[in-house]
mmCIF file of all heavy atoms in Angstrom:
data_model
loop_
_atom_site.group_PDB
_atom_site.id
_atom_site.type_symbol
_atom_site.label_atom_id
_atom_site.label_comp_id
_atom_site.label_asym_id
_atom_site.label_seq_id
_atom_site.Cartn_x
_atom_site.Cartn_y
_atom_site.Cartn_z
ATOM 1 N N ALA A 308 167.819 4.202 -56.497
ATOM 2 C CA ALA A 308 167.888 4.142 -57.953
ATOM 3 C C ALA A 308 166.590 4.655 -58.561
ATOM 4 O O ALA A 308 166.600 5.442 -59.538
ATOM 5 C CB ALA A 308 168.179 2.732 -58.429
ATOM 6 N N VAL A 309 165.476 4.223 -57.989
ATOM 7 C CA VAL A 309 164.172 4.691 -58.480
ATOM 8 C C VAL A 309 164.036 6.201 -58.252
ATOM 9 O O VAL A 309 163.530 6.929 -59.094
ATOM 10 C CB VAL A 309 163.005 3.923 -57.799
ATOM 11 C CG1 VAL A 309 161.671 4.484 -58.242
ATOM 12 C CG2 VAL A 309 163.081 2.451 -58.115
ATOM 13 N N SER A 310 164.526 6.689 -57.109
ATOM 14 C CA SER A 310 164.476 8.126 -56.818
ATOM 15 C C SER A 310 165.189 8.931 -57.914
ATOM 16 O O SER A 310 164.729 9.992 -58.322
ATOM 17 C CB SER A 310 165.160 8.436 -55.492
ATOM 18 O OG SER A 310 164.452 7.861 -54.436
ATOM 19 N N LEU A 311 166.346 8.396 -58.346
ATOM 20 C CA LEU A 311 167.083 9.070 -59.410
ATOM 21 C C LEU A 311 166.290 9.122 -60.724
ATOM 22 O O LEU A 311 166.212 10.139 -61.366
ATOM 23 C CB LEU A 311 168.405 8.341 -59.650
ATOM 24 C CG LEU A 311 169.596 8.851 -58.877
ATOM 25 C CD1 LEU A 311 170.772 7.898 -59.018
ATOM 26 C CD2 LEU A 311 169.998 10.242 -59.377
ATOM 27 N N LEU A 312 165.687 7.989 -61.051
ATOM 28 C CA LEU A 312 164.842 7.954 -62.242
ATOM 29 C C LEU A 312 163.710 8.979 -62.099
ATOM 30 O O LEU A 312 163.395 9.730 -63.032
ATOM 31 C CB LEU A 312 164.195 6.570 -62.421
ATOM 32 C CG LEU A 312 165.030 5.440 -62.978
ATOM 33 C CD1 LEU A 312 164.147 4.226 -63.196
ATOM 34 C CD2 LEU A 312 165.689 5.855 -64.279
ATOM 35 N N MET A 313 163.132 9.009 -60.910
ATOM 36 C CA MET A 313 162.005 9.924 -60.664
ATOM 37 C C MET A 313 162.418 11.376 -60.844
ATOM 38 O O MET A 313 161.651 12.187 -61.349
ATOM 39 C CB MET A 313 161.446 9.686 -59.241
ATOM 40 C CG MET A 313 160.553 8.460 -59.167
ATOM 41 S SD MET A 313 160.280 7.900 -57.462
ATOM 42 C CE MET A 313 159.616 9.361 -56.687
ATOM 43 N N ALA A 314 163.651 11.671 -60.428
ATOM 44 C CA ALA A 314 164.120 13.059 -60.507
ATOM 45 C C ALA A 314 164.243 13.521 -61.968
ATOM 46 O O ALA A 314 164.167 14.706 -62.238
ATOM 47 C CB ALA A 314 165.468 13.175 -59.801
ATOM 48 N N ALA A 315 164.411 12.539 -62.870
ATOM 49 C CA ALA A 315 164.630 12.898 -64.264
ATOM 50 C C ALA A 315 163.366 12.706 -65.130
ATOM 51 O O ALA A 315 163.388 12.907 -66.347
ATOM 52 C CB ALA A 315 165.775 12.081 -64.847
ATOM 53 N N LEU A 316 162.251 12.307 -64.507
ATOM 54 C CA LEU A 316 161.029 12.074 -65.259
ATOM 55 C C LEU A 316 160.439 13.366 -65.841
ATOM 56 O O LEU A 316 159.757 13.359 -66.828
ATOM 57 C CB LEU A 316 159.972 11.407 -64.365
ATOM 58 C CG LEU A 316 160.070 9.892 -64.193
ATOM 59 C CD1 LEU A 316 159.012 9.428 -63.213
ATOM 60 C CD2 LEU A 316 159.933 9.150 -65.500
ATOM 61 N N GLN A 317 160.744 14.435 -65.139
ATOM 62 C CA GLN A 317 160.183 15.717 -65.494
ATOM 63 C C GLN A 317 161.372 16.673 -65.637
ATOM 64 O O GLN A 317 162.279 16.634 -64.814
ATOM 65 C CB GLN A 317 159.245 16.163 -64.358
ATOM 66 C CG GLN A 317 158.669 17.527 -64.445
ATOM 67 C CD GLN A 317 157.478 17.545 -65.372
ATOM 68 O OE1 GLN A 317 157.301 16.654 -66.193
ATOM 69 N NE2 GLN A 317 156.618 18.532 -65.222
ATOM 70 N N PRO A 318 161.408 17.524 -66.688
ATOM 71 C CA PRO A 318 162.552 18.425 -66.847
ATOM 72 C C PRO A 318 162.771 19.286 -65.621
ATOM 73 O O PRO A 318 161.765 19.692 -64.987
ATOM 74 C CB PRO A 318 162.163 19.281 -68.058
ATOM 75 C CG PRO A 318 161.046 18.590 -68.709
ATOM 76 C CD PRO A 318 160.384 17.729 -67.711
ATOM 77 N N SER A 319 164.005 19.597 -65.308
ATOM 78 C CA SER A 319 164.251 20.489 -64.170
ATOM 79 C C SER A 319 165.396 21.431 -64.545
ATOM 80 O O SER A 319 166.163 21.127 -65.448
ATOM 81 C CB SER A 319 164.634 19.693 -62.931
ATOM 82 O OG SER A 319 165.813 18.955 -63.170
ATOM 83 N N ARG A 320 165.470 22.546 -63.871
ATOM 84 C CA ARG A 320 166.560 23.480 -64.130
ATOM 85 C C ARG A 320 167.720 23.220 -63.240
ATOM 86 O O ARG A 320 168.802 23.749 -63.445
ATOM 87 C CB ARG A 320 166.049 24.924 -63.913
ATOM 88 C CG ARG A 320 164.966 25.344 -64.893
ATOM 89 C CD ARG A 320 164.413 26.685 -64.459
ATOM 90 N NE ARG A 320 163.150 26.977 -65.102
ATOM 91 C CZ ARG A 320 163.016 27.634 -66.222
ATOM 92 N NH1 ARG A 320 164.092 28.078 -66.844
ATOM 93 N NH2 ARG A 320 161.840 27.854 -66.729
ATOM 94 N N LEU A 321 167.498 22.422 -62.187
ATOM 95 C CA LEU A 321 168.559 22.113 -61.238
ATOM 96 C C LEU A 321 168.245 20.796 -60.555
ATOM 97 O O LEU A 321 167.136 20.551 -60.105
ATOM 98 C CB LEU A 321 168.655 23.240 -60.179
ATOM 99 C CG LEU A 321 169.730 23.085 -59.128
ATOM 100 C CD1 LEU A 321 171.125 23.146 -59.731
ATOM 101 C CD2 LEU A 321 169.579 24.131 -58.038
ATOM 102 N N LEU A 322 169.276 19.938 -60.480
ATOM 103 C CA LEU A 322 169.133 18.658 -59.780
ATOM 104 C C LEU A 322 170.008 18.745 -58.517
ATOM 105 O O LEU A 322 171.211 19.018 -58.599
ATOM 106 C CB LEU A 322 169.577 17.501 -60.671
ATOM 107 C CG LEU A 322 169.670 16.116 -59.988
ATOM 108 C CD1 LEU A 322 168.323 15.648 -59.444
ATOM 109 C CD2 LEU A 322 170.260 15.083 -60.968
ATOM 110 N N LEU A 323 169.395 18.490 -57.371
ATOM 111 C CA LEU A 323 170.145 18.495 -56.112
ATOM 112 C C LEU A 323 170.320 17.069 -55.607
ATOM 113 O O LEU A 323 169.364 16.344 -55.447
ATOM 114 C CB LEU A 323 169.374 19.328 -55.055
ATOM 115 C CG LEU A 323 169.139 20.798 -55.354
ATOM 116 C CD1 LEU A 323 168.293 21.417 -54.249
ATOM 117 C CD2 LEU A 323 170.463 21.536 -55.496
ATOM 118 N N LEU A 324 171.573 16.698 -55.377
ATOM 119 C CA LEU A 324 171.849 15.353 -54.834
ATOM 120 C C LEU A 324 172.483 15.571 -53.471
ATOM 121 O O LEU A 324 173.560 16.131 -53.343
ATOM 122 C CB LEU A 324 172.789 14.594 -55.764
ATOM 123 C CG LEU A 324 172.320 14.469 -57.207
ATOM 124 C CD1 LEU A 324 173.423 13.918 -58.101
ATOM 125 C CD2 LEU A 324 171.070 13.613 -57.310
#
Side-chain angles (χ1 to χ4, degrees):
Chain A
V309 176
S310 295
L311 267 170
L312 282 186
M313 282 163 56
L316 278 176
Q317 175 82 339
S319 62
R320 294 172 197 267
L321 180 66
L322 171 63
L323 299 176
L324 305 171

